[in-house]
Amino acid sequence: MHRYLLLLLAACLVAGQAFFVSAAAVPSSGWTTTAFGDWLVRCPGSQNMEGGCQLLPDLEKAAISRAQFALVISSQDETKSRFAVMTVPEGVYLASGVELSIDGGRPYKILYEVCRQGSCHAGFKLTDAVVSAFKRGAKATARVWLSKDRVVEFSLSLIGFTKAYSVFEGQASR
């Protein structure tokens, strides 16, 4: 159990840090990015690069600043498990965690795991139920508390998620 938690934390930190490469820097960083509707699959451009592919929403289309919110889905090579990490600026109200709902349905509660270098990360295992909800849904909404009584919502279109996830799965299983 302890080993699993350490691996999850490491995956969250790697995914969170890797996400903050700006879209303009992607070509020069060696990553290739392919768009599927409102979702992107980003993969290392060569086998010499560390890390695997990532699945993420196109935040420019959603009019969300990367400095305010980020969501990255990645895989763990050894177990083929999929994890998602949401990143927000430090200074949020941590006790409430993040709520993620699909089309206004019952929210998934996601707890913050770590805050460092100006951001806080809330990670969770991407179960089949969550993937199915994303595939069936039209919109995902992440609720982040700024204080006990102040909430901000980030809405993400799920258009293209099914195709992007299929490509991501194919890349991750290589």
Side-chain angles (χ1 to χ4, degrees), residues 4-154:
Y4 172 75
L5 290 174
L6 286 175
L7 289 173
L8 177 60
L9 180 59
C12 291
L13 292 174
V14 169
Q17 288 175 347
F19 182 79
F20 286 104
V21 174
S22 73
V26 169
S28 65
S29 68
W31 290 81
T32 59
T33 303
T34 307
F36 299 93
D38 295 334
W39 285 79
L40 307 171
V41 176
R42 193 171 86 159
C43 296
S46 72
Q47 292 181 343
N48 296 336
M49 293 179 64
E50 298 245 351
C53 293
Q54 299 173 335
L55 175 61
L56 50 146
D58 187 337
L59 295 180
E60 287 181 24
K61 284 186 178 180
I64 298 172
S65 165
R66 292 180 199 275
Q68 294 177 328
F69 178 82
L71 170 68
V72 177
I73 297 170
S74 57
S75 66
Q76 187 177 30
D77 292 336
E78 301 87 35
T79 64
K80 303 293 183 203
S81 295
R82 308 295 182 248
F83 295 93
V85 177
M86 285 185 267
T87 303
V88 297
E90 73 181 348
V92 297
Y93 183 64
L94 299 176
S96 298
V98 178
E99 284 185 358
L100 179 67
S101 62
I102 311 301
D103 295 334
R106 184 172 155 226
Y108 298 94
K109 178 98 168 167
I110 303 146
L111 299 177
Y112 290 104
E113 295 176 330
V114 66
C115 293
R116 62 177 254 195
Q117 296 179 349
S119 59
C120 295
H121 308 281
F124 60 100
K125 186 173 182 179
L126 204 63
T127 64
D128 290 341
V130 174
V131 171
S132 292
F134 270 61
K135 287 180 176 181
R136 287 189 317 269
K139 179 176 85 170
T141 303
R143 296 185 78 197
V144 176
W145 277 258
L146 302 178
S147 63
K148 281 186 178 182
D149 57 354
R150 191 166 157 225
V151 176
V152 64
E153 292 186 348
F154 298 99

